[in-house]
């Protein structure tokens, strides 16, 4: 492929999206560029405050546990209160937590702040995803999610490099900078991003309003969406396992921590360098095919880790499941937007986000226990099996629900005005 054709592909990938999306994209980039807390939290707890590695792991897990509560909370606020107010409030709450970490030093004080930070950070995501679904034409939704995910990873890559250099100024300085960046993100949303929540329809006598009609229980009763959430949970468990299991497996092979650093950096390099190209290749593809292929890539990439014996081989496995990540994340978000009624997009995205948070809490614990018990080979064999199970599930259980020509079942079950069903978004 020539340089000129690559340039045309890049232009085609970023063109045609509304201005509001790019302000949201910029806010994501700013937010993630200053995201230092989670990257350096374990080092801060162990080297600066003198806590054990066990306690550092517990605190990081509490962040994930906060996300389990924050995701449905953010989804409900997104639909009831609005997209922009939820984003601004939760960004400011996360900024306050980051700033608090610069001053709170007691063990359980830090644990509480990190738990609340997990709530706030996860609560903002349903409003972001719902806003993209609101403002972007249906055919471009998957592409928009992919671009926003690219901004997230680009910002994270910058934060990892800049944070490592800036750590000489002290961890507390990094946390303050994180707070400033998150506040700036909130300011961008407040000043430049319009509210996109669909207009409420007038309810007839005895009927509930649209935003009251769909409860979290109603969302879970939506069989196709429930299946999508459960399959996403399986994929998330496989995706999260390497972040714990990979360094332990490499250590068993006698490889140094610096080797692991170089191997895992491949994940960010591949996403930043090739996300736009992957978007072009997957554009307008069937969402079921994309989710199935992504699951297979996760299965093969993680399963092959058991066979790797060198840093280069481990890096190759990371490339495989990273491509699966680049395909899965935007496609899953677009599929969620497709299955959700307009007035319940926040709740649907909130429930979907909860599956990511549950995996972030469960997978590290399980992966560590398996490596310490049966061994790392069992962990990677399990990941391979779970990835295959998810691939079969997408093909067998969701082909009809995500097919372009099939109507999506209305939720909830009682009669309601017919809602417009968007066509699949860029292959979603």
């Amino acid at each position: 492929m020539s340089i000129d054709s690559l340039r045309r592909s890049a232009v085609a990938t970023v063109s045609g999206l509304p201005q509001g999306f790019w302000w949201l994209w910029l806010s994501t980039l700013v937010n993630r560029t200053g995201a230092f807390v989670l990257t350096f939290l374990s080092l801060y707890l162990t080297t600066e405050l003198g806590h054990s590695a066990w306690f550092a792991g517990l605190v990081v897990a509490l962040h994930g546990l906060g996300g389990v509560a924050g995701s449905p909370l953010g989804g409900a606020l997104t639909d009831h209160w609005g997209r922009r107010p939820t984003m601004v409030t939760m960004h400011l709450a996360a900024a306050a937590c980051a700033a608090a970490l610069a001053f709170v030093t007691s063990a359980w004080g830090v644990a509480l702040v990190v738990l609340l930070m997990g709530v706030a950070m996860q609560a903002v995501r349903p409003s972001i995803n719902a806003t993209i679904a609101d403002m972007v034409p249906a055919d471009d939704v998957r592409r928009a999610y992919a671009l926003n995910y690219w901004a997230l990873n680009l910002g994270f890559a910058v934060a990892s490099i800049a944070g490592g250099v800036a750590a000489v100024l002290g961890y507390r300085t990094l946390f303050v900078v994180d707070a400033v960046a998150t506040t700036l993100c909130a300011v961008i949303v407040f000043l430049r991003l319009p509210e996109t929540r669909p207009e409420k329809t007038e309810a007839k006598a005895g009927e509930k309003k649209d935003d009251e009609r769909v409860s979290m229980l109603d969302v879970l009763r939506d069989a196709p969406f429930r299946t999508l959430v459960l399959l996403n949970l399986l994929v998330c468990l496989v995706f999260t396992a390497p972040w714990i299991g990979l360094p332990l497996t490499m250590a068993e092979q006698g490889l140094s921590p610096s080797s692991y650093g170089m191997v895992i950096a491949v994940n960010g390099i591949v996403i930043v360098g090739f996300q736009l190209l992957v978007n072009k290749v997957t554009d307008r593809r069937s969402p079921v095919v994309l989710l199935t292929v992504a699951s297979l890539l996760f299965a093969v990439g993680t399963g092959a880790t058991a066979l790797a014996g060198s840093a280069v081989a481990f890096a190759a496995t990371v490339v495989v499941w990273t491509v699966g990540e680049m395909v899965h994340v935007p496609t899953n978000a677009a599929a969620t937007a497709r299955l959700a009624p307009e007035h319940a997009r926040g709740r649907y995205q909130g429930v979907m986000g909860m599956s990511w948070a549950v995996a972030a809490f469960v997978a590290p614990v399980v992966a560590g226990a398996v490596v310490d018990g049966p061994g790392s080979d069992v962990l990677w064999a399990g990941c391979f099996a779970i990835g295959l199970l998810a691939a079969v599930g997408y093909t067998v259980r969701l082909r009809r629900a995500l097919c372009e020509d099939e109507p999506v079942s209305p939720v909830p079950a009682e009669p309601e005005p017919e809602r417009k069903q968007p066509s699949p978004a860029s292959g979603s």
Side-chain angles (χ1 to χ4, degrees):
M1 182 177 285
S2 66
I3 298 297
D4 188 55
S5 61
L6 285 173
R7 182 187 61 79
R8 288 196 301 270
S9 295
V11 170
T13 300
V14 301
S15 63
L17 297 173
Q19 185 181 46
F21 167 79
W22 291 110
W23 285 113
L24 183 63
W25 185 91
L26 178 62
S27 72
T28 298
L29 181 62
V30 169
N31 188 20
R32 295 299 294 183
T33 300
F36 299 122
V37 169
L38 287 182
T39 306
F40 296 94
L41 182 60
S42 60
L43 289 174
Y44 171 66
L45 291 171
T46 53
T47 62
E48 184 84 4
L49 298 185
H51 295 298
S52 66
W54 173 86
F55 181 77
L58 173 63
V59 172
V60 173
L62 285 176
H63 186 277
L65 184 63
V68 175
S71 192
L73 170 65
L77 290 175
T78 295
D79 289 333
H80 181 71
W81 193 12
R83 280 60 160 145
R84 191 173 71 154
T86 302
M87 272 189 268
V88 171
T89 301
M90 293 305 165
H91 279 315
L92 291 177
C97 290
L101 284 176
F103 304 99
V104 176
T105 57
S106 69
W108 297 111
V110 171
L112 177 60
V113 171
V114 171
L115 176 68
L116 294 176
M117 191 174 191
V119 174
M121 289 181 67
Q122 191 66 34
V124 78
R125 293 180 182 177
S127 57
I128 293 173
N129 286 341
T131 298
I132 292 174
D134 292 339
M135 67 169 51
V136 175
D139 288 341
D140 293 323
V141 166
R142 202 203 68 83
R143 177 163 63 97
Y145 282 128
L147 287 169
N148 199 64
Y149 189 64
W150 182 58
L152 186 151
N153 282 279
L154 179 60
F156 180 76
V158 173
S160 298
I161 297 172
V165 175
V168 296
L169 300 176
Y171 293 106
R172 290 180 173 84
T173 302
L174 292 181
F175 298 158
V176 171
V177 173
D178 191 325
V180 172
T182 308
T183 301
L184 178 58
C185 172
V187 171
I188 292 172
V189 171
F190 180 76
L191 293 179
R192 306 303 304 179
L193 196 67
E195 176 58 56
T196 63
R197 183 175 58 165
E199 293 289 336
K200 296 180 182 179
T201 57
E202 293 296 328
K204 297 179 181 178
E207 289 185 352
K208 296 180 181 179
K209 295 180 180 178
D210 276 349
D211 64 335
E212 298 173 343
R213 221 175 247 160
V214 180
S215 66
M216 286 298 178
L217 185 58
D218 291 323
V219 174
L220 294 175
R221 286 173 178 161
D222 184 337
F225 178 68
R226 185 173 64 242
T227 300
L228 184 69
V229 171
L230 292 175
L231 292 174
N232 184 69
L233 176 60
L234 294 180
V235 173
C236 291
L237 290 172
V238 176
F239 167 64
T240 308
W243 299 93
I244 302 299
L246 184 58
L248 298 177
T249 301
M250 292 182 65
E252 289 177 353
Q253 299 282 347
L255 297 172
S256 66
S258 61
S259 296
Y260 167 71
M262 290 186 290
V263 167
I264 202 61
V266 170
N267 174 259
I269 293 170
V270 171
I271 292 176
V272 172
F274 296 98
Q275 181 73 68
L276 297 183
L277 179 59
V278 170
N279 293 352
K280 184 65 177 177
V281 172
T282 58
D283 192 30
R284 305 294 193 266
R285 305 291 182 182
S286 162
V288 172
V289 171
L290 292 177
L291 291 170
T292 300
V293 170
S295 300
L296 292 174
L297 289 170
F298 276 117
V300 172
T302 55
T305 306
L307 306 176
S310 66
V312 173
F314 282 115
T317 67
V318 172
V319 170
V320 174
W321 59 255
T322 297
V323 176
E325 177 188 354
M326 290 190 288
V327 175
H328 175 85
V329 172
T331 305
N332 182 73
T336 301
R338 169 168 169 73
L339 293 177
E342 283 188 354
H343 58 278
R345 281 174 175 158
R347 291 175 176 89
Y348 272 65
Q349 294 287 355
V351 171
M352 180 57 72
M354 191 164 58
S355 67
W356 287 90
V358 168
F361 178 68
V362 172
V365 177
V366 173
V370 171
V371 171
D372 283 341
S376 58
D377 286 351
V378 175
L379 172 65
W380 304 122
C383 288
F384 178 75
I386 294 172
L388 285 183
L389 179 62
V392 173
Y394 284 121
T395 300
V396 174
R397 303 290 299 174
L398 287 177
R399 180 172 297 278
R400 181 177 180 181
L402 297 180
C403 178
E404 179 177 1
D405 298 325
E406 292 290 342
V408 179
S409 301
V411 175
E414 67 259 25
E416 62 175 272
E418 182 180 357
R419 57 185 173 86
K420 181 180 179 182
Q421 293 299 327
S423 59
S426 296
S428 65

